[in-house]
């Protein structure tokens, strides 16, 4: 049995609403239970290794655990809803029994989201912004927190921020109308690394705060991504932590950072905050 670290929660989820304690981004720890994720595929694809990694993430300061069972790396091969649930289901069930922090399921399939929410997940993190029609009915029934990400291609050379912000606004409108959820239920993710060239990815990071719309906050996922390699020449995702931390520190204000390396981000953010307030 995993012990629960004593640490006050900085994030609260209520049915149909997300709320945050201001002052510093929350850290969403990435828990990939896949054999083929771009950075850590195969490392946590058993229940034992997944729970050990979950404990490490929350002991390092994770405010949310994001469990994913299908890779979204370039060139990934999709899996069926049944296979995806067989990967994430045992982990979510076990975490719900012991986890001191909210649980997010990283899925674009309504059937997987339904099973995960039934098992006790709090948030649905959908990289396709809920294009599966079944997802909409699931969200209407369970009223979880929702992450909508922009994954649509963008023509090279266009300034990304205005286009992506309006696409997220429109997609949120569609999902709100279909589900009855309010603005406070959503986090909006500009989708760094999805359908954008290098300049557009960098623009989305620099202007990240501009994706906050009304009561909807911003989630930024930049951890170990390939744009860092294009800037630095570093081909190994596992060696991109310095570039990831730099991105997190210079990004516009966001409510949530989705990261692999929770402890390192927590330390960097606290030091930056202390310097800014000195």
């Amino acid at each position: 049995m995993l012990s629960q670290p004593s640490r006050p929660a900085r994030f609260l989820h209520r049915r149909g609403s997300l709320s945050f304690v201001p002052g510093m981004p929350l850290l969403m720890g990435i828990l990939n239970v896949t054999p083929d994720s771009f950075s850590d595929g195969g490392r946590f694809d058993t229940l034992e290794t997944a729970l050990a990694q979950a404990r490490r993430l929350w002991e390092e300061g994770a405010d949310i655990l994001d469990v994913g069972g299908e890779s979204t790396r370039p060139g990934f091969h999709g899996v069926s809803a049944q296979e995806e649930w067989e990967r994430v289901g045992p982990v979510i069930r076990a975490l719900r029994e012991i986890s001191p922090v909210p649980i997010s399921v990283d899925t674009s399939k309504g059937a997987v989201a339904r099973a995960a929410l039934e098992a006790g997940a709090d948030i649905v993190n959908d990289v396709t912004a809920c294009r599966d029609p079944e997802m909409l009915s699931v969200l209407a029934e369970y009223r979880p927190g929702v992450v909508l990400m922009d994954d649509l291609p963008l023509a090279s050379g266009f300034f990304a921020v205005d286009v992506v912000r309006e696409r997220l606004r429109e997609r949120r409108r569609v999902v709100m109308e279909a589900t009855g959820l309010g603005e406070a239920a959503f986090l909006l993710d500009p989708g760094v690394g999805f359908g954008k060239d290098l300049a557009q990815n960098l623009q989305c990071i620099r202007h990240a705060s501009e994706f906050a719309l009304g009561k909807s906050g911003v989630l930024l996922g930049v951890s170990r991504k390939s744009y860092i390699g294009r800037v630095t020449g570093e081909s190994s995702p596992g060696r991109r932590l310095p570039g990831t931390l730099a991105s997190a520190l210079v990004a516009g204000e966001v409510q949530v950072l989705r990261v692999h390396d929770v402890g390192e981000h927590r330390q960097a953010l606290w030091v930056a905050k202390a310097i800014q307030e000195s």
Side-chain angles (χ1 to χ4, degrees):
M1 179 65 68
L2 301 182
S3 61
Q4 297 187 16
S6 57
R7 174 166 54 85
R10 298 195 304 127
F11 166 80
L12 296 173
H13 169 256
R14 299 181 179 88
R15 187 172 171 86
S17 179
L18 302 174
S19 60
F20 308 94
V21 177
M24 194 168 71
L26 303 184
L27 297 177
M28 175 184 273
I30 299 169
L31 183 58
N32 288 320
V33 291
T34 57
D36 57 344
S37 292
F38 80 97
S39 178
D40 52 9
R43 292 186 60 196
F44 313 116
D45 59 355
T46 68
L47 181 59
E48 181 180 6
T49 57
L51 292 180
Q53 174 65 359
R55 174 172 181 161
R56 186 182 74 83
L57 291 171
W58 79 52
E59 286 184 340
E60 290 184 355
D63 300 289
I64 307 165
L65 294 175
D66 190 43
V67 184
E70 181 179 61
S71 174
T72 55
R73 65 178 174 82
F76 78 95
H77 298 287
V79 298
S80 68
Q82 178 177 348
E83 183 175 355
E84 187 177 343
W85 176 244
E86 288 173 354
R87 293 175 178 178
V88 303
V91 177
I92 291 174
R93 289 194 189 101
L95 284 177
R96 188 68 289 161
E97 294 295 321
I98 60 176
S99 174
V101 298
I103 299 168
S104 168
V105 59
D106 181 358
T107 186
S108 60
K109 299 182 181 69
V112 175
R114 180 183 297 278
L117 293 168
E118 187 66 30
D122 304 285
I123 300 169
V124 174
N125 180 11
D126 189 342
V127 300
T128 69
C130 304
R131 288 201 293 269
D132 178 0
E134 185 178 355
M135 183 69 81
L136 298 176
S137 62
V138 171
L139 299 183
E141 179 178 353
Y142 288 88
R143 303 184 67 77
V146 184
V147 182
L148 299 178
M149 194 192 83
D150 178 76
D151 71 331
L152 300 176
L154 186 61
S156 182
F158 277 87
F159 182 66
V161 177
D162 294 340
V163 175
V164 172
R165 182 176 58 245
E166 292 312 305
R167 293 199 305 208
L168 286 169
R169 187 194 305 275
E170 174 59 17
R171 191 59 199 160
R172 185 189 62 175
R173 181 193 66 78
V174 171
V175 177
M176 287 172 60
E177 289 183 356
T179 64
L181 290 169
E183 291 181 355
F186 295 92
L187 285 166
L188 304 178
D189 180 351
V192 171
F194 289 79
K196 303 167 185 69
D197 62 26
L198 175 59
Q200 291 165 341
N201 285 319
L202 299 179
Q203 290 162 9
C204 286
I205 296 167
R206 180 180 179 184
H207 297 274
S209 62
E210 297 180 31
F211 298 107
L213 299 172
K215 296 180 181 178
S216 300
V218 179
L219 180 146
L220 188 65
V222 296
S223 188
R224 305 182 184 178
K225 288 190 173 179
S226 60
Y227 78 89
I228 299 170
R230 293 185 63 188
V231 172
T232 65
E234 180 52 69
S235 60
S236 170
R239 293 170 59 90
R240 293 175 184 159
L241 176 58
T244 301
L245 291 174
S247 301
L249 293 176
V250 303
E253 182 179 353
V254 301
Q255 282 63 54
V256 178
L257 286 169
R258 184 176 181 271
V259 304
H260 296 87
D261 305 286
V262 171
E264 291 84 348
H265 277 81
R266 187 173 177 83
Q267 183 179 117
L269 290 166
W270 275 112
V271 172
K273 185 174 186 291
I275 293 170
Q276 291 166 354
E277 294 179 352
S278 66

